[in-house]
Amino acid sequence: MAHEYPTLSQAPYWWPSRTPAADNPWGCPYVQRDGERNPEVDSGTDRQDLEKVFDSSYDLVLAWYYTGKGQYARKAADILRTWFLSPDTRMNPNLDHAQFIPCKYDGRAIGIIDFSQSYTSVVDAVALLETGAPSWTRADREAMGEWNSDFLGWLRNSDFGKQEAAAANNHGTFYDMLVAGLAYATGDRELARRTVREAAARRVDAQIAADGSQPLELARTRSWHYSTFDLVAYTRLAAIGENVGVDLWAHRGPQGQSLFAAVRYLLPAATGREPWPHPELEFRRFAASDVVHAAADAGDGAARRALPLLEAPPGGDLWALRPAAEQLDSIAGRPAPRSAVGAP
């Protein structure tokens, strides 16, 4: 008999308000402390294992792609089969138990971002494997496509998915990016095209101000992190658009809203010319590097002139080696999972 397993994650910014005791082992009720990450999220859930799956499969496939050494692809294929395909270990294609809050919710729509922010690294890894990697078979390709199709169906039709689609901040942007990426990967180019096209008014016009600021992200205690984070989703969405005939970079809203304006808003702080003028618990200048690279590649002169002034991420500037922009900082205090859209 085949088994399927739910994936469990815990809300990162929720903390116990009482000392755990025999009659209240969690220390409930939990209270929100925005931007302050509770280390509990890394124990007793699938959060770290999930990030390792995404990171390792993506890194191993890139290693195979650039070196031609088959052992990297074989290991990546083993990881993907174990997590997504094997009848005895595969994950359910849903996120019904993402970002639970002890004694409050078994799962929340907002938890979809645990996948949407980085699952496209797996989509890219699979796309690269399908260019001729050893040990990735036709059966693997078909089974992975089926899993992605089922997951896309859940994202579009479940109550959680519909709630996340209606989100007006980075959650909504990443939701659109994931839907578009999965649609493209599973052959539904019309859905991918429509999702990117509709994001122009639904996301860019609504979430980016005329001066390029992102008001909903600036309201956070980690305003720099979330401003760059949201732009990672936008730049990946634009990369998908390039494959389906939609130029999201060219869009201008009624007040001049655009992705270029949003990137330019970051440039004074990204280049070190000026301090970031908004709340930020832990400013990391390098977090903007990939989105500035993406804007420069898309033709923005200000972004291109800023490139020599950027701070390199801890692992070095790997922009030329990756399919698309990545989130380079992490609320966990360590380099974030590598993920992108638009594998070569």
Side-chain angles (χ1 to χ4, degrees):
M1 177 182 293
H3 301 279
E4 290 189 346
Y5 298 95
T7 292
L8 178 70
S9 65
Q10 185 172 336
Y13 297 149
W14 288 77
W15 296 71
S17 62
R18 299 177 183 173
T19 302
D23 62 344
N24 185 8
W26 284 96
C28 294
Y30 270 49
V31 296
Q32 189 175 29
R33 289 156 53 178
D34 187 44
E36 299 180 39
R37 190 175 188 274
N38 183 347
E40 287 179 353
V41 305
D42 291 326
S43 61
T45 73
D46 299 306
R47 184 63 177 258
Q48 285 196 327
D49 288 339
L50 188 70
E51 291 180 357
K52 290 174 182 176
V53 167
F54 292 174
D55 287 0
S56 59
S57 59
Y58 181 68
D59 291 347
L60 286 163
V61 171
L62 285 179
W64 165 75
Y65 185 80
Y66 286 115
T67 69
K69 295 182 179 179
Q71 65 264 37
Y72 296 130
R74 284 190 287 272
K75 182 61 177 178
D78 286 344
I79 292 169
L80 294 174
R81 289 192 198 101
T82 300
W83 193 276
F84 297 104
L85 306 183
S86 171
D88 294 324
T89 58
R90 73 191 299 264
M91 171 190 163
N92 292 330
N94 65 61
L95 294 170
D96 289 335
H97 301 288
Q99 287 206 15
F100 86 99
I101 299 174
C103 312
K104 192 173 180 69
Y105 299 115
D106 290 335
R108 300 184 301 157
I110 203 171
I112 288 173
I113 204 164
D114 288 350
F115 240 68
S116 61
Q117 65 177 300
S118 51
Y119 180 65
T120 45
S121 64
V122 175
V123 175
D124 275 349
V126 171
L128 288 169
L129 287 174
E130 291 178 357
T131 65
S135 81
W136 189 250
T137 67
R138 178 177 179 179
D140 293 329
R141 179 170 62 254
E142 292 175 351
M144 196 74 214
E146 182 178 346
W147 195 96
N148 281 332
S149 293
D150 290 345
F151 182 45
L152 176 59
W154 180 87
L155 283 170
R156 299 184 68 206
N157 299 314
S158 68
D159 287 341
F160 276 4
K162 292 175 182 178
Q163 290 176 45
E164 193 75 341
N169 62 353
N170 63 79
H171 282 263
T173 317
F174 271 101
Y175 175 88
D176 281 359
M177 186 271 293
L178 181 58
V179 167
L182 285 170
Y184 184 78
T186 56
D188 192 344
R189 296 200 172 197
E190 178 51 38
L191 175 58
R193 182 180 301 109
R194 184 170 69 250
T195 302
V196 179
R197 185 174 60 242
E198 292 177 355
R202 188 181 187 189
R203 305 299 179 194
V204 176
D205 293 359
Q207 295 174 193
I208 298 174
D211 66 353
S213 64
Q214 301 171 71
L216 294 174
E217 312 309 329
L218 295 184
R220 305 293 297 271
T221 60
R222 299 289 310 276
S223 62
W224 173 256
H225 167 85
Y226 280 104
S227 292
T228 61
F229 183 55
D230 198 22
L231 274 169
V232 168
Y234 278 119
T235 59
R236 293 178 184 168
L237 195 57
I240 298 167
E242 292 175 9
N243 292 317
V244 292
V246 181
D247 188 353
L248 194 60
W249 286 104
H251 173 74
R252 298 293 181 274
Q255 283 82 48
Q257 305 98 313
S258 72
L259 298 190
F260 286 133
V263 174
R264 289 181 200 131
Y265 188 84
L266 304 180
L267 293 183
T271 58
R273 293 197 307 265
E274 297 178 16
W276 180 245
H278 305 286
E280 176 54 56
L281 295 177
E282 191 171 1
F283 180 80
R284 295 187 176 105
R285 186 157 69 91
F286 63 80
S289 295
D290 265 15
V291 297
V292 176
H293 269 294
D297 283 0
D300 187 67
R304 192 177 298 116
R305 290 189 295 273
L307 293 179
L309 304 176
L310 297 177
E311 179 181 54
D317 186 352
L318 303 178
W319 172 254
L321 301 179
R322 298 192 304 259
E326 296 181 9
Q327 183 61 31
L328 300 174
D329 70 333
S330 170
I331 60 172
R334 61 180 185 272
R338 297 179 179 178
S339 52
V341 171

